[in-house]
Amino acid sequence: MVKVAGLGQLFLYTLCSNYIGYPCIQRAGTITPISAALVGKGMGLGTVLALIIGGAGASIPELTILGSMFKKKLVLAFAINVFIVAVVAGYLIDWLVY
């Protein structure tokens, strides 16, 4: 895990962790121990934060429900907004901590 998404690879994997988080259905009870394990194995805090925000903010079931209620352009704008917020928050945390 440290070789793939450790502290030396912060830039790329903070960005990519959103793609992993989007299809996940994350709840606070399940993502907290998973996040603790990932950080314990050496994953950067910003990368884990981006994963949490991406999965909790715009999971596939959530986007499906929003797509049935709103126009597709609005749902796409929402997903892009969540992605940008997750990446910026991840980079900000990495910059502040490391």
Side-chain angles (χ1 to χ4, degrees):
M1 181 63 74
V2 175
K3 289 180 187 176
V4 175
L7 299 179
Q9 277 65 4
L10 294 176
F11 180 74
L12 178 63
Y13 290 101
T14 300
L15 186 66
C16 293
S17 65
N18 284 307
Y19 293 117
I20 296 169
Y22 268 39
C24 298
I25 302 171
Q26 299 177 4
R27 299 288 173 244
T30 57
I31 197 61
T32 304
I34 292 170
S35 298
L38 290 173
V39 171
K41 292 291 183 181
M43 186 178 274
L45 290 176
T47 306
V48 173
L49 180 67
L51 175 71
I52 293 170
I53 293 173
S59 63
I60 289 178
E62 181 177 321
L63 292 176
T64 304
I65 292 169
L66 290 175
S68 68
M69 296 177 357
F70 301 110
K71 293 182 180 180
K72 303 300 180 203
K73 282 186 176 181
L74 182 62
V75 175
L76 181 64
F78 171 77
I80 290 171
N81 189 22
V82 170
F83 180 81
I84 291 170
V85 167
V87 170
V88 169
Y91 287 146
L92 182 64
I93 292 297
D94 284 340
W95 180 72
L96 291 172
V97 172
Y98 306 111

